[in-house]
Amino acid sequence: MEHKSLITELTQGKEMAIQLKTHLPSPPPPGSSPQALIFLTEMIQSSFENALLLLNWNPKDPSEEEEEPTKNKRKNSSRDVLLKRRKLLPKWTEEVKVGSGSAAEGPLNDGHSWRKYGQKDIHGANFPRCYYRCTHRNVRGCLATKQVQKSDNDPNIFEVTYRGQHTCNQSANLGLISVSNRNEIPEETHQNQQNPNSEILFNFGEQQHFGLKTEDFDDVFPPFCFGSETVDEDVFLEQMMEPGFVADGNWSAAAVSSATSETAWDLSGYGGEIQGVQSSEQSNMTEMVSATTSVTNSPIGNGDWELSLDKIDFDQFFHFDRLDFIS
DNA sequence: GCTATTTGACCTGC
DNA sequence: GCAGGTCAAATAGC
């Protein structure tokens, strides 16, 4: 009953977010970019959708418990729904290079706790693919999964495909994240020409909302924790709306930059063994993940902004999939 | 005893 | 029919 009311409320919230998007002023208010407004409304909508997803998933849903246990649980319709939802989850790929002699056979510690649930020999691949899901899946309904497979070309390289966002709010102890302004990186440097100190690149496949092929950096930028404090999302949203935050394309740098020229990726989560990561196609996000940092063009690239960022923990549903939004 | 891993079976999409 | 992805019972490790 309570559960149902909650779903009703969330559904209404989602619908209102959709309506809000349709009522966005055109042209946008001074100082605001249309992309930013659309992005925000979609963020709101996304949050509601994820909340609904979590509620529907709840394994303790009485309606599910009442179901007669059948021999073949895979026929369960709720399970089918879950599988369909899972298919729609954002997906991206990283290539992680590990040092020789490392314990890389494991799930590659990326700050989240994973539980292996399967391994499969892949046709045409020299190495099997391992399947991991979030340890907190049963407890918190976190649908995040990842697949780890050794590269055929280089056994030291693991292709890690993430799917879904962590809804368990695990705190990945990744530290500073430095991101460069895509506008400041020559096109030819978008791939494999990142700062050698921070060679973690990404492959973002599948879904595109705004064009940029990444959906979720929750793992890549695990919940965007800058410091130990929790997010003040309002502060972030408010500042994100500042003129120039989006319009000049510096938002990403400002949002996740430590404003330092040093490599800011704290890869200790990978056991400190990451030596480099290679990117393949569609690395639209590679420009966002660079050691090179420059936010000088951005009004938020000042000390005050950095200070406020110390408290920012990006919303777990924050989607960096807005190319138009960035450009 | 609890938790994680292994592995064969099952399901789904192409 | 095949390949990829997931489930879940069996097993191992603590």
Side-chain angles (χ1 to χ4, degrees), chain A residues 127-139:
Chain A
F127 303 100
R129 179 177 298 166
C130 297
Y131 299 89
Y132 299 88
R133 65 187 175 207
C134 179
T135 303
H136 306 295
R137 180 186 168 186
N138 292 330
V139 179

Side-chain angles (χ1 to χ4, degrees), chain A residues 12-228:
Chain A
Q12 287 178 359
K14 176 188 164 186
E15 293 303 319
M16 284 188 274
I18 294 172
Q19 288 183 31
L20 176 60
K21 191 163 64 176
T22 64
H23 286 84
L24 286 178
S26 180
S32 298
S33 77
Q35 289 93 344
L37 297 177
I38 293 172
F39 175 75
L40 284 172
T41 55
E42 291 200 353
M43 267 183 65
I44 296 169
Q45 185 182 339
S46 175
S47 293
F48 279 114
E49 288 175 350
N50 280 287
L52 284 166
L53 187 152
L54 288 175
L55 282 172
N56 289 336
W57 182 89
N58 188 355
K60 293 183 178 179
D61 187 336
S63 63
E64 290 186 16
E65 288 182 349
E66 288 172 4
E67 287 181 8
E68 188 174 345
T70 55
K71 184 79 177 181
N72 190 357
K73 291 183 178 180
R74 298 181 190 186
K75 297 291 185 183
N76 191 323
S77 59
S78 63
R79 181 179 303 275
D80 290 342
V81 172
L82 180 62
L83 290 173
K84 285 176 184 174
R85 281 181 189 152
R86 192 169 293 161
K87 276 201 155 186
L88 296 176
L89 290 176
K91 178 179 156 184
W92 69 96
T93 301
E94 294 176 35
E95 292 188 4
V96 179
K97 187 172 184 178
V98 298
S100 58
S102 72
E105 301 295 335
L108 294 173
N109 182 0
D110 54 6
H112 292 279
S113 56
W114 299 95
R115 176 172 176 170
K116 189 176 182 178
Y117 68 86
Q119 181 172 317
K120 191 87 175 178
D121 287 326
I122 301 303
H123 185 250
N126 296 333
F127 303 100
R129 179 177 298 166
C130 297
Y131 299 89
Y132 299 88
R133 65 187 175 207
C134 179
T135 303
H136 306 295
R137 180 186 168 186
N138 292 330
V139 179
R140 304 181 194 177
C142 181
L143 294 178
T145 63
K146 75 172 181 180
Q147 303 169 2
V148 179
Q149 185 173 17
K150 265 187 185 178
S151 170
D152 288 342
N153 300 325
D154 186 350
N156 289 329
I157 293 179
F158 285 79
E159 296 175 0
V160 185
T161 300
Y162 293 90
R163 178 168 287 182
Q165 309 175 43
H166 278 277
T167 57
C168 56
N169 281 331
Q170 291 183 58
S171 176
N173 295 321
L174 296 187
L176 297 172
I177 296 172
S178 184
V179 174
S180 66
N181 180 353
R182 72 187 296 269
N183 294 332
E184 297 174 12
I185 302 177
E187 190 69 30
E188 61 272 16
T189 65
H190 286 178
Q191 291 190 13
N192 301 332
Q193 294 194 22
Q194 306 296 315
N195 183 318
N197 294 327
S198 179
E199 300 175 352
I200 185 160
L201 307 176
F202 307 94
N203 245 342
F204 298 98
E206 290 193 346
Q207 303 177 5
Q208 298 183 41
H209 294 299
F210 253 78
L212 193 54
K213 296 176 181 178
T214 172
E215 288 70 31
D216 174 13
F217 282 134
D218 188 35
D219 286 318
V220 181
F221 301 147
F224 270 75
C225 246
F226 292 84
S228 57

